Amino acid sequence: MTRTVFRNGTLFDARARTADRADVAVQDGWIVDVGSGLDGDVEVDCTGRGVLPGLIDCHVHLTMTGTDLFRAAQEPFSLQFYEGARNMALTLAAGVTTVRDAAGADLGMRVAQERGLIPGPRMQVSLNMISQTGGHGDPWWPSTCVLDLLPPHPGRPPVIVDGPDEVRRKIRELVRAGADVIKVATSGGIVSGGAGPRVAHFRDDEIATMVAEADAAGLFVMAHASADGAKAAVRNGVRSIEHGHDLDDETLAMMAERGTWLVPTLSSLLGLHEALDAGVLPDEVAAKIKPGADDTVRRAVAAGVPIAMGTDAPLYPHGRNLTELELMVDHGLTPGDALHAATLSAADLMGLADELGSLEPGKRADLVLVDGDPMDVRGLGDRVRTVYQDGRAVAGTERVPAGA
């Protein structure tokens, strides 16, 4: 059994949210020791480099590419899975070794990654996003045409429901199809033909049924939610609020008290504004993009709300995931807090903190080697050099070829 030592790197300590010089010893895909002067059979010299835990993106859509909705709607059905494989590789190369797919990827994509058929981050999949009639996931547009960016198939059930009974049956269908997490839209959205983010969707009894039924299956509920829709989701026990635009102080206080995570996906707004400037968004979507800054994240930090990193890629491109760290710092997090949001906090949100999220003995050997100071998140994505997953170099300058 080969013991590999990553020597002389500057390690990010996700618990202390600081970085210092130390060695990491890895054996059989697991971290077995962290300290100084460790010995091993193989040595990886990390002098001048930072060593991070494998990063975690809690909100991606791997089967989707770009922001041109009408182009996407005209593509052949199966193309999404080939693009998904490419997007998985891009995400892994960015240092993201684990993701939560927030609608799109199905069980087969997760299994393909687990079996080593395609390189990519390990995945939790939601399959699709539960929506009420006329909600964010309803594919009907004002013209009465259907523009479904996530068309149903046997591995991705249709998800338009109304009333607790339909909600209960739908969650059971999603669980049967292999969902690891339940995704719901309790607010309208920007990239859809219906109401905007400030309009609340679903009533309390429907949301409570989702949470109870998911809990019975051992799953969490993540809610695409803003404003009053987020308040209803928090009130009824969802695990995380995704996007979370325009959250009032009462909602943030509830989140802090209950330990409800905020996944702010700041990259998505950056991507939408760039797409708006490029003129590739339909007028119906462009009209819902709010100008100016939202101070929700700053107030969430002050209120003590737990924050986890999510990007909503591809609204900002797959492979550019670490831009989110810079944006979180711009919105009030320290660099250490931003890295914590992308490591231990994200692992905790996903129920994976026993195995992932920090460089500690007994955890999976997911490591990311970066040039320079790991606490300097500016341009961090451009400084990723080698990505290890379960102790194996899977992306970057020392990548192990497929089949080796």
Side-chain angles (χ1 to χ4, degrees), residues 183-364:
K183 167 82 177 293
V184 60
T186 62
S187 297
I190 293 175
V191 189
S192 62
R198 294 196 62 83
V199 177
H201 288 164
F202 287 118
R203 304 290 73 80
D204 279 41
D205 59 343
E206 295 169 307
I207 302 171
T209 298
M210 294 175 202
V211 173
E213 199 61 37
D215 184 66
L219 306 183
F220 299 132
V221 177
M222 57 189 297
H224 161 107
S226 296
D228 289 342
K231 185 174 295 183
V234 175
R235 186 167 60 237
N236 287 285
V238 303
R239 179 76 164 181
S240 64
I241 297 298
E242 313 293 310
H243 316 307
H245 309 307
D246 300 316
L247 303 186
D248 63 23
D249 290 342
E250 180 183 6
T251 301
L252 294 175
M254 289 170 57
M255 293 175 68
E257 179 182 358
R258 296 169 183 237
T260 308
W261 267 264
L262 174 64
V263 182
T265 67
L266 297 165
S267 300
S268 65
L269 288 176
L270 176 61
L272 285 171
H273 280 288
E274 290 183 357
L276 183 62
D277 292 341
V280 299
L281 296 178
D283 291 344
E284 179 76 11
V285 170
K288 291 188 284 185
I289 298 177
K290 180 181 176 181
D294 180 359
D295 69 345
T296 293
V297 175
R298 289 185 181 278
R299 290 185 293 108
V301 171
V305 174
I307 295 175
M309 187 184 87
T311 61
D312 208 7
L315 293 184
Y316 199 74
H318 296 288
R320 302 301 302 172
N321 307 64
L322 302 197
T323 299
E324 185 74 17
L325 297 172
E326 301 181 36
L327 296 173
M328 286 193 289
V329 170
D330 290 341
H331 283 74
L333 279 73
T334 67
D337 288 342
L339 288 170
H340 182 270
T343 53
L344 196 54
S345 183
D348 197 1
L349 164 59
M350 294 174 62
L352 301 174
D354 287 344
E355 293 189 355
L356 297 169
S358 57
L359 300 174
E360 298 178 276
K363 293 203 174 185
R364 289 183 178 274

